Amino acid sequence: MLAVSTNLSAEQRLNKAVVAIMGHPRYVALSGVLMVGKREVRDDVPTACTNGRDEYYGRAFIDSISDAQLRFVVLHECYHKMYKHLTTWHHLYKKCAMTANKACDYVINIQIVDDNDDGFAVGIDGMCIDSKYRDWGSQRVFDDIYQQQQQDGEGGGNE
């Protein structure tokens, strides 16, 4: 089990994660992206999300994960912003928002996993991580998932 900091508030832990990322040699170049938008801890957010500028993190979610997992999640949301997923893949989100988000998640998560074999950022069980999608772009992942949904009769309409 990974250690969870219990003596800091969710807001303090989030700030600690951001500062750690900004100070890490691998991620210092992301400092500008990390400074874009507001970052907020909320009780009504189940995990974490971004609107492409602002980031929202669930208080209970932060309290349930380790510092390394929190750094992974912060990097994940930062990558969504950096890659401008909501605008670059707008046509995919219009076709099926959930599938588009999942496709972008697979692309981001495998990259973060591959970059962090030292344990600085650690994924969470149940995240969209599949080595099948290593070196794939979001469009290709989307097409693969969408096609599988069609074959399985899951629809794939815009939820």
Side-chain angles (χ1 to χ4, degrees), residues 4 6 16 31-32 38-39 43 50 55 70 72-74 84 91 94 107 115 124 126-127 129 132 135-136 141 155 159:
V4 177
T6 56
K16 177 183 169 187
S31 295
K38 67 180 178 179
R39 190 172 293 108
D43 293 328
T50 182
E55 302 165 35
L70 182 55
F72 189 104
V73 173
V74 171
K84 299 181 181 181
H91 67 286
K94 283 177 62 176
V107 170
D115 288 346
I124 300 169
M127 292 183 92
I129 300 173
K132 168 185 177 177
D135 300 322
W136 288 31
V141 176
E159 303 88 16

Side-chain angles (χ1 to χ4, degrees), residues 32-157:
V33 178
L34 285 162
M35 298 304 293
V36 171
K38 67 180 178 179
R39 190 172 293 108
E40 187 177 327
V41 176
R42 296 172 50 157
D43 293 328
D44 62 339
V45 175
T47 56
C49 60
T50 182
N51 60 14
R53 183 192 67 218
D54 304 319
E55 302 165 35
Y56 304 97
Y57 297 85
R59 183 177 311 283
F61 178 66
I62 290 176
D63 290 343
S64 73
I65 61 177
S66 71
D67 289 345
Q69 290 170 323
L70 182 55
R71 287 190 296 269
F72 189 104
V73 173
V74 171
L75 284 166
H76 175 96
E77 298 307 328
C78 180
Y79 278 35
H80 275 303
K81 291 166 42 172
M82 177 175 66
Y83 292 135
K84 299 181 181 181
H85 280 161
L86 294 173
T87 54
T88 301
W89 302 114
H90 182 71
H91 67 286
L92 298 180
Y93 281 88
K94 283 177 62 176
K95 185 172 184 178
C96 182
M98 288 181 68
T99 303
N101 187 62
K102 187 181 281 191
C104 292
D105 286 354
Y106 275 113
V107 170
I108 289 171
N109 290 344
I110 196 68
Q111 182 180 359
I112 298 171
V113 166
D114 287 350
D115 288 346
N116 285 281
D117 58 356
D118 60 357
F120 176 73
V122 177
I124 300 169
D125 289 341
M127 292 183 92
C128 296
I129 300 173
D130 190 335
S131 60
K132 168 185 177 177
Y133 296 125
R134 182 172 280 111
D135 300 322
W136 288 31
S138 296
Q139 177 75 58
R140 184 175 175 201
V141 176
F142 177 91
D143 292 343
D144 185 65
I145 296 170
Y146 194 82
Q147 179 182 22
Q148 189 61 48
Q149 290 172 336
Q150 298 303 306
Q151 291 172 353
D152 294 345
E154 295 178 23

